Amino acid sequence: MQKQIAQERTTLVESFLLMGTVVSIRLVGEGSVADMRDSIDRAIHAMRSTEEACSRFDAASSLRDLCRRPGEWVAVPAALFQALSIAREMAELTGGVFDPTVGRALELQGFNRHYLTGDESDSQVPDAGASWHDIELNPDGMQVRLATPMLLDLGAVAKGLAVDLAAHELGSWPGFSIDAGGDVFVAGSDPEGAIWRVGIEHPLAPDSLLAQLELTNMAICTSGNYKRRSAENEAVHHLWDPSQNHSAEGLKSCTVVAPQAVLADVVSTAAFVLGPKRALSFIEEMDLAGVVVHEDMTVQMTKSMGGYIRE
Amino acid sequence: MAASAKLLALCTAAVGAVYAAGYVYTQPSAEASGVSSHGSLGGNPSSSPSPSSSPAPSSSGSAPSSSASASSPTASKVTYRDGTYTGSGSNVYGTLSVKLTIAGGKITSVKITSYNMHYPSSFIYPQIANEVIQMQTYRVYNITGATASSYNFAEAVYYALQKAKA
């Protein structure tokens, strides 16, 4: 029965470079392939728009424009306003261990190169000791005021939001998956008409899997330190702990399952930066499912994660 | 959970808020400031259609980094001509190509048109290659992990952008 359904369906896979990584969309559809392609174009456009608003690496982005105007109320695009609202809330929830004002610190550690043009960014923002408290948000007219000069980094939020916007564009098809360099959203059914299977990468051997999940209409995001390293200093990675002024230590990866990619992304990043003692309990406090891999390869998971693991 | 209620509400409402603020999809070709000959269906104004146009196949990565060091840190003074451009890159592990679209002077999409590269796991982690637990990966279409870098594509994008420069 299922096989017959599957045969009437077409699966289209297209991959793009976006937000410094490879984004692959797999769309399961019935009917016109041209319509399917059009949907993928819309999804990619939504992600590209989010990138144009929120990129720290592109001097022409709305984020960089905002950072050039400290002290002023600035009307910003909706995607940037939403990403900032979520990032600020997470900063408050973690008491500032997660903080979106770490952009300058990351830039100075060599995380400064645009992935398409190769241009190195130098925002030249003075180190004025800014923190998330200095981000003021006014939902009326979506205005933002940065009370202190700072370079924002929305890496933990903007990609998730972009995936959610792309998912919205694909929502009317029988099934799709979006893989944004490790941030995954799956919906409906897979190309064979079954529930999606998503692997969790093994931090020590990226060709193999730590576990397999079965789920749909859910996002799965992993924050890990085992791929992106600073060109300046190999000991430095991109998950920054502002309280220590150093990249976060003690964990290899945190994986979180949530109904929205932006939620999974920001919680997995925050859990990673919170460190080995607090990561798992933090994911549980957020009422989400997750897996935490420690530096010594000890694996912990929330009780709720068991429901997704394929034995 | 009271502590996370606001976060959940913000994340749930984010997509709707972006659309409520007027986000709409516009056809890339419509943005292309009066240039009508380079429709998204295949105008390929200057570059040769063959993806094999990339020189220096064995020097992956060197060309992009040398160009980067020469470029100015401030906003892009480089202007690009609207259209679609291809570029390729390769090293001993394989080859890849991209198709880059410029509309309204901006990069609107970079699509991967071919990718055939395989780094053996022993190359990356020689100490663990033999201990890897084999798992059934049938129907696993997606893998969540630390964000992969798009570094492999730097050379291909560099050549495509060179063609797009006005």
Side-chain angles (χ1 to χ4, degrees):
Chain A
M1 211 39 200
Q2 272 201 340
K3 209 160 193 179
Q4 279 186 341
I5 293 168
Q7 281 169 352
E8 292 160 15
R9 289 184 172 172
T10 310
T11 302
L12 207 57
V13 189
E14 295 194 351
S15 298
F16 300 80
L17 300 186
L18 273 165
M19 302 183 130
T21 192
V22 176
V23 174
S24 291
I25 293 180
R26 193 174 299 264
L27 185 58
V28 182
E30 288 157 342
S32 157
V33 171
D35 287 349
M36 291 173 71
R37 278 191 208 285
D38 186 53
S39 279
I40 291 178
D41 284 348
R42 287 168 175 271
I44 293 300
H45 187 270
M47 295 186 77
R48 187 81 183 120
S49 299
T50 311
E51 182 179 9
E52 282 175 0
C54 301
S55 171
R56 169 167 74 77
F57 301 93
D58 177 359
S61 73
S62 311
L63 178 147
R64 289 287 292 278
D65 180 54
L66 173 66
C67 293
R68 281 190 289 267
R69 298 162 66 184
E72 275 179 64
W73 281 102
V74 180
V76 299
L80 178 53
F81 191 84
Q82 296 302 317
L84 273 172
S85 304
I86 291 164
R88 193 184 188 284
E89 178 62 19
M90 182 51 91
E92 191 163 354
L93 280 173
T94 59
V97 174
F98 172 92
D99 192 322
T101 67
V102 296
R104 184 61 174 164
L106 287 169
E107 189 177 65
L108 291 173
Q109 290 295 334
F111 295 102
N112 64 348
R113 185 164 288 188
H114 193 281
Y115 68 104
L116 293 177
T117 60
D119 291 344
E120 287 179 30
S121 68
D122 180 6
S123 64
Q124 297 180 342
V125 171
D127 182 3
S131 80
W132 63 274
H133 295 279
D134 302 313
I135 304 170
E136 297 167 24
L137 300 167
N138 179 1
D140 276 343
M142 293 190 292
Q143 299 205 359
V144 184
R145 180 177 174 271
L146 305 180
T148 308
M150 65 175 74
L151 179 59
L152 291 159
D153 180 275
L154 291 172
V157 181
K159 185 150 59 103
L161 179 58
V163 169
D164 289 333
L165 289 164
H168 180 78
E169 294 286 357
L170 302 173
S172 59
W173 295 98
F176 65 86
S177 66
I178 303 165
D179 183 340
D183 281 17
V184 176
F185 192 101
V186 288
S189 52
D190 84 353
E192 304 199 18
I195 192 166
W196 288 93
R197 290 180 186 171
V198 177
I200 300 179
E201 187 173 78
H202 194 296
L204 293 185
D207 277 358
S208 67
L209 301 181
L210 192 69
Q212 262 188 50
L213 312 180
E214 282 190 325
L215 72 181
T216 193
N217 302 323
M218 280 286 175
I220 316 98
C221 291
T222 298
S223 291
N225 63 6
Y226 54 90
K227 281 198 189 140
R228 286 201 169 171
R229 293 279 165 171
S230 163
E232 313 273 317
N233 179 353
E234 178 65 14
V236 169
H237 60 81
H238 67 290
L239 296 160
W240 196 257
D241 178 352
S243 62
Q244 303 294 319
N245 203 25
H246 195 274
S247 39
E249 289 175 340
L251 292 174
K252 287 218 177 289
S253 68
C254 289
T255 300
V256 172
V257 178
Q260 293 88 24
V262 68
L263 183 57
D265 203 345
V266 74
V267 172
S268 66
T269 306
F272 189 96
V273 181
L274 280 167
K277 288 191 183 135
R278 294 165 69 192
L280 193 75
S281 59
F282 181 73
I283 297 168
E284 276 168 344
E285 278 166 36
M286 295 292 113
D287 236 354
L288 298 173
V291 180
V292 173
V293 182
H294 291 251
E295 201 60 68
D296 64 1
M297 283 308 294
T298 311
V299 178
Q300 288 180 306
M301 62 177 79
T302 62
K303 265 191 191 154
S304 52
M305 197 69 200
Y308 299 115
I309 301 267
R310 182 169 170 262
E311 299 298 339
Chain B
M1 255 291 139
S4 65
K6 189 177 173 194
L7 182 70
L8 292 179
L10 285 169
C11 291
T12 307
V15 168
V18 171
Y19 281 89
Y23 170 76
V24 281
Y25 173 67
T26 44
Q27 287 279 348
S29 52
E31 292 171 3
S33 58
V35 180
S36 57
S37 58
H38 311 143
S40 58
L41 286 176
N44 206 355
S46 76
S47 57
S48 86
S50 155
S52 64
S53 56
S54 123
S58 64
S59 65
S60 168
S62 60
S65 54
S66 61
S67 93
S69 57
S71 66
S72 144
T74 45
S76 45
K77 284 164 191 122
V78 186
T79 51
Y80 300 118
R81 282 170 295 137
D82 288 358
T84 59
Y85 307 89
T86 57
S88 301
S90 63
N91 60 29
V92 294
Y93 298 105
T95 59
L96 52 83
S97 314
V98 298
K99 185 179 88 179
L100 188 141
T101 303
I102 308 276
K106 292 193 298 186
I107 302 169
T108 55
S109 104
V110 185
K111 185 175 178 178
I112 298 165
T113 50
S114 80
Y115 184 78
N116 178 20
M117 249 194 219
H118 185 71
Y119 296 91
S121 53
S122 59
F123 171 80
I124 305 165
Y125 289 101
Q127 75 282 14
I128 202 166
N130 296 324
E131 300 165 29
V132 166
I133 308 144
Q134 291 299 316
M135 288 187 73
Q136 159 79 278
T137 54
Y138 170 66
R139 286 208 305 108
V140 177
Y141 296 105
N142 299 285
I143 293 172
T144 178
T147 307
S149 132
S150 58
Y151 177 78
N152 271 354
F153 296 90
E155 184 186 16
V157 172
Y158 171 79
Y159 286 118
L161 275 177
Q162 286 296 104
K163 295 176 191 170
K165 275 182 186 166

